[in-house]
């Protein structure tokens, strides 16, 4: 996703010359299929198709190779200086690259699809690879299956010559809290290509200039809706604000929901939010990480940002065990240790 944003930014400058896409891998490769390298006419580039071993060679030759249109190229990263295929470096695989000029409607349709995904829209792209006599062609569909672009020439159905991909909407992260410690978190999340929304009821903190990387900075959820594809980090340092934002976030069942702060504080927040929603505490705890952030060590806002982004990424990828989540047992234990809040005492008395 970070590459996609950089490619779109370079494309928008108007001097793109050629695009390189990694479409097949045999053996091992530093990048997965779908990795791209966009080359500008002045030699500037964005993205990457390897760990840095192929870029210089590909940048040097691609504009010349696409003079007559899109074509395929193959590079070997196996260490073999006798091989016919360049460019043996010992990385352990062979990669097939699609090279295409940037002055075609197919290129423009692909870049428009990338840009749409950065704004939250899904796009499906199918590209017929120009090999074995087949004509380079491309079709772009939206989430409903409507054709947004299709090359006029006949497309081939042979999957062996088709490169299909989905440009999913970029991840959306709600950061509830606009304090100083939220700034590196927002910057780190934006660097991942995520769309970040900062919300804080304190006008002196919730200012656009404090979060230039954020998509939106505002004082409340007005006009916005959290859904189950989103990630949420609650870190206002205001107990009442955190409780209210937690109450609003829980029913949406976001993919990630983290609470910053001591475990006893988080236990009280969950207990009170559950009571406000009329939920059993078990339901409120199902997908909450508290305290949020992987235990990476370190101290300060930057370390917290790194730990939080790492935990969110791991959670989104299904790499975190459920033991990382808060449980009803932990909530009960923490409340027993520290005592219930005045709110909970009042609720119990009613």
């Amino acid at each position: 996703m970070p590459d996609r944003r950089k490619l779109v930014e370079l494309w928008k400058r108007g001097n793109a010359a050629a695009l390189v896409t990694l479409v097949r891998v045999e053996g091992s490769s530093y990048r997965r299929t779908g990795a791209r390298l966009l080359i500008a006419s002045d030699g500037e580039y964005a993205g990457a198709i390897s760990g840095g071993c192929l870029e210089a060679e590909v940048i040097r030759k691609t504009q010349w190779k696409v003079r007559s249109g899109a074509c395929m190229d193959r590079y070997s990263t196996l260490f073999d200086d006798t091989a016919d295929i360049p460019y043996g470096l010992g990385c352990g695989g062979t990669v097939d690259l699609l090279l295409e000029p940037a002055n075609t409607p197919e290129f423009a349709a692909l870049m428009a699809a990338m840009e749409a995904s950065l704004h939250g829209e899904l796009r499906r792209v199918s590209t017929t690879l120009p090999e074995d006599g087949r004509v380079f062609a491309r079709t772009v569909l939206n989430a409903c299956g409507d054709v947004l672009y299709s090359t006029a020439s006949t497309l081939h159905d042979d999957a062996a010559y088709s490169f299909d991909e989905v440009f999913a909407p970029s991840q959306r992260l709600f950061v509830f809290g606009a304090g100083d410690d939220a700034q590196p978190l927002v910057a780190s999340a934006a660097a991942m290509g995520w769309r970040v929304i900062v919300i804080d009821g304190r006008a002196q903190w919730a200012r656009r200039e404090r979060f230039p990387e954020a998509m939106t900075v505002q004082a409340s959820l007005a006009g916005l809706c959290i859904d189950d594809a989103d990630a949420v980090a609650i870190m206002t340092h205001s107990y009442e604000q955190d409780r209210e934002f937690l109450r609003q976030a829980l029913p949406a069942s976001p993919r990630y929901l983290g609470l910053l702060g001591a475990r006893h504080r988080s236990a009280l927040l969950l207990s009170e939010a559950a009571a406000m929603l009329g939920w059993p505490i078990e339901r409120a705890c199902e997908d909450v990480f508290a305290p949020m952030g992987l235990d990476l060590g370190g101290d300060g806002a930057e370390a917290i940002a790194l730990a939080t982004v790492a935990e969110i990424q791991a959670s989104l990828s299904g790499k975190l065990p459920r033991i990382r989540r808060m449980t009803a047992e932990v909530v009960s234990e923490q409340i027993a240790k520290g005592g219930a809040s005045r709110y909970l005492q009042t609720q119990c008395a009613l």
Side-chain angles (χ1 to χ4, degrees), residues 53-125:
C53 52
L54 296 179
E55 275 69 13
E57 175 80 359
V58 171
I59 290 169
R60 184 170 65 88
K61 293 183 176 180
T62 294
Q63 291 189 58
W64 174 78
K65 288 186 175 183
V66 300
R67 289 180 303 171
S68 300
C71 61
M72 298 293 295
D73 207 356
R74 170 170 283 197
Y75 285 86
S76 172
T77 60
L78 297 168
F79 186 73
D80 182 2
D81 56 10
T82 66
D84 294 331
I85 305 172
Y87 173 83
L89 295 170
C91 297
T94 300
V95 297
D96 287 338
L97 305 176
L98 166 64
L99 317 181
E100 60 180 290
N103 60 352
T104 68
E106 287 78 17
F107 170 81
L110 179 70
M111 298 307 298
M114 286 191 199
E115 184 178 27
S117 72
L118 295 177
H119 294 291
E121 301 178 39
L122 183 143
R123 293 290 184 268
R124 301 184 187 276
V125 180

Side-chain angles (χ1 to χ4, degrees), residues 1-16 38 40 44-47 107 111 114-115 118-119 190-191 193 212-213:
M1 192 64 73
D3 278 0
R4 199 181 302 173
R5 185 176 298 278
K6 292 176 182 176
L7 264 63
V8 168
E9 289 174 353
L10 181 56
W11 168 56
K12 286 292 193 179
R13 296 176 199 169
N15 63 336
L38 180 60
E44 185 182 2
Y45 66 92
F107 170 81
M111 298 307 298
M114 286 191 199
E115 184 178 27
L118 295 177
H119 294 291
E213 305 91 350

Side-chain angles (χ1 to χ4, degrees), residues 132-173:
D132 294 344
R134 284 166 170 75
V135 176
F136 173 65
R138 178 167 286 141
T139 297
V140 179
L141 309 175
N142 64 15
C144 298
D146 302 320
V147 177
L148 303 181
Y149 174 83
S150 184
T151 302
S153 62
T154 302
L155 297 181
H156 294 270
D157 295 329
D158 191 341
Y161 298 95
S162 178
F163 181 64
D164 300 324
E165 53 193 327
V166 176
F167 293 154
S170 59
Q171 180 62 48
R172 195 166 62 159
L173 170 64

Side-chain angles (χ1 to χ4, degrees), residues 4 46 57 76 125 152 168 171 187 221 285 289 302 305 316 322:
R4 199 181 302 173
E57 175 80 359
S76 172
V125 180
Q171 180 62 48
L221 266 173
C285 291
F289 293 82
E302 288 74 17
L316 299 179
R322 291 200 64 85

